[in-house]
């Protein structure tokens, strides 16, 4: 932290804070006392910037640690499977190959999800006219067999909803939401509703599903990377916990907003609002 110098001149304190930040110390704050003059305003906004930067860096570190942990898991399982196989060369390799294949597929899915996330975050895509209602229909059609397998009904409605963006990323967003609405639903007699509509200046996609009751404070964390909801939900076959993080970053890359809300009676309602095409 360094010695406190409450009597140093404002300009000196601000310069010192800038130097500390440049050297990587993001926890220092100027906390300039006194009246609301230009120095005070500058110091306050500098402090606010440092706080945001510090939170952002902490988030990145958490993300890297979680991603490394998740990537290590399939590698560690692979190693164990191989060691066991080496100790027992008489065993039928068919089973080993099957298990290695499953673990490897999961590692590839995870890596692809991470790549997708960084691509959306970097806004590295070209923008073209997209009709959100067509994407909703396409995602629903692709996932219909999965819904039928689980005894769910899906209803997709909505008129033309033109926006501008990456058709591939927006299809991924829609697919992730419909996929979640299917797999995190009731064990039987569940339903999913997908709607698209236009509002002044915006197009809105809503994906709503029945399911278990969700506490609002849990719902608030679901879009964080690697967040996998309740323990009960995790007990079943789960994804890697990046689906909603990807939806969030694709939405932000399109200057839109994502809202998650518990449904009355259980389940979730997800709303994505994107700027309408001019
Ligand atoms: N439509 C939904 N209904 C109920 N819970 C959901 C829904 N979508 C997501 N969740 C909860 O949010 C968690 C995170 O979702 P996601 O990021 O897609 O990861 P994953 O599906 O791989 O677990 C899920 O594990 C689940 O608990
Ligand atoms: Mg998911």
């Amino acid at each position: 932290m360094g010695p406190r110098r409450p009597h140093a001149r404002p300009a000196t304190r601000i310069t010192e804070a800038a130097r500390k930040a440049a050297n990587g110390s993001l926890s220092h704050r100027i906390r300039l006392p006194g009246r609301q003059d230009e120095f005070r305003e500058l110091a306050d906004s500098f402090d606010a910037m440092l706080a945001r930067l510090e939170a952002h860096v902490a988030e990145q570190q958490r993300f890297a640690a979680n991603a490394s942990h998740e990537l290590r898991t399939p590698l560690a399982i692979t190693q164990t499977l191989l060691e066991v196989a080496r100790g027992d060369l008489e065993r039928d390799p068919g089973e080993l190959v099957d298990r290695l294949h499953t673990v490897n597929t999961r590692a590839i899915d995870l890596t692809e999800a991470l790549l997708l996330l960084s691509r959306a975050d970097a806004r590295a895509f070209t923008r073209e006219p997209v009709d959100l209602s067509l994407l909703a229909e396409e995602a629903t059609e692709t996932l219909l067999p999965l819904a039928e397998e689980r005894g769910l009904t899906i209803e997709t409605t909505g008129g033309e909803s033109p926006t501008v963006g990456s058709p591939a990323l927006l299809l991924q967003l829609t697919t992730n939401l419909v996929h979640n609405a299917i797999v995190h639903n009731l064990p039987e007699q569940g339903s999913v509703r997908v709607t698209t509509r236009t509002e002044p200046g915006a197009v809105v996609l809503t994906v709503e599903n029945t399911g278990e009751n969700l506490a609002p404070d849990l719902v608030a964390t679901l879009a964080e990377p690697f967040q996998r909801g309740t323990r009960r939900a995790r007990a079943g076959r789960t994804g890697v916990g990046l689906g909603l993080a990807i939806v969030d970053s694709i939405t932000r890359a399109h200057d839109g907003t994502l809202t998650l809300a518990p449904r009355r009676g259980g389940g979730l309602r997800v709303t994505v609002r994107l700027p309408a095409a001019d």
Side-chain angles (χ1 to χ4, degrees):
M1 275 303 230
R4 281 202 138 263
R5 297 173 54 198
H7 301 302
R9 289 172 51 213
T12 311
R13 292 181 63 167
I14 295 171
T15 309
E16 210 171 278
R19 193 176 300 127
K20 282 192 171 131
N23 288 331
S25 158
L26 299 177
S27 59
H28 177 76
R29 298 288 177 273
I30 306 169
R31 280 193 248 282
L32 196 69
R35 65 195 162 85
Q36 200 67 39
D37 59 8
E38 272 171 31
F39 278 124
R40 176 69 195 278
E41 247 170 55
L42 179 61
D44 285 355
S45 56
F46 198 83
D47 280 350
M49 184 193 73
L50 281 174
R52 269 210 312 280
L53 210 55
E54 192 183 19
H56 182 71
V57 168
E59 189 188 314
Q60 295 291 312
Q61 284 167 346
R62 251 194 330 273
F63 180 81
N66 282 331
S68 309
H69 177 81
E70 295 287 334
L71 283 166
R72 190 180 55 186
T73 303
L75 293 173
I77 296 172
T78 299
Q79 191 175 34
T80 307
L81 289 172
L82 290 172
E83 272 163 12
V84 169
R86 193 165 52 187
D88 182 5
L89 294 172
E90 309 288 279
R91 246 228 322 256
D92 169 26
E95 191 196 336
L96 172 71
V97 170
D98 282 351
R99 291 177 70 183
L100 285 176
H101 186 258
T102 306
V103 176
N104 188 246
T105 303
R106 193 170 165 85
I108 291 173
D109 288 349
L110 174 58
T111 314
E112 268 166 7
L114 288 169
L115 283 172
L116 199 65
L117 204 53
S118 67
R119 205 173 123 222
D121 281 343
R123 297 178 168 233
F125 54 85
T126 52
R127 279 145 210 270
E128 44 190 282
V130 190
D131 180 353
L132 213 52
S133 71
L134 295 182
L135 298 184
E137 276 169 30
E138 190 175 340
T140 308
E141 209 171 292
T142 309
L143 291 165
L144 199 57
L146 183 68
E148 283 172 350
E149 199 178 284
R150 292 173 180 244
L152 298 171
T153 56
I154 300 196
E155 183 196 353
T156 304
T157 55
E160 213 183 328
S161 305
T163 182
V164 174
S166 156
L169 289 178
L170 291 174
L171 178 61
Q172 180 79 49
L173 173 152
T174 313
T175 305
N176 284 9
L177 291 180
V178 178
H179 185 265
N180 275 346
I182 295 169
V183 300
H184 302 297
N185 210 309
L186 294 171
E188 50 198 28
Q189 305 226 311
S191 63
V192 177
R193 266 179 57 194
V194 185
T195 58
T196 49
R197 63 191 156 89
T198 56
E199 277 179 2
V203 294
V204 185
L205 167 73
T206 310
V207 181
E208 220 178 315
N209 58 279
T210 50
E212 65 179 276
N213 271 304
L214 299 167
D217 55 342
L218 172 79
V219 169
T221 67
L222 293 181
E224 285 168 21
F226 306 110
Q227 184 71 43
R228 258 163 284 197
T230 60
R231 185 123 48 70
R232 179 137 59 105
R234 247 182 284 151
R237 274 170 57 90
T238 53
V240 296
L242 287 174
L244 286 176
I246 289 170
V247 168
D248 189 35
S249 91
I250 293 174
T251 304
R252 278 186 286 117
H254 287 80
D255 303 312
T257 55
L258 168 70
T259 315
L260 307 181
R263 260 185 87 249
R264 211 178 311 156
L268 194 68
R269 182 174 57 244
V270 183
T271 309
V272 175
R273 196 169 258 105
L274 300 174
D278 297 326

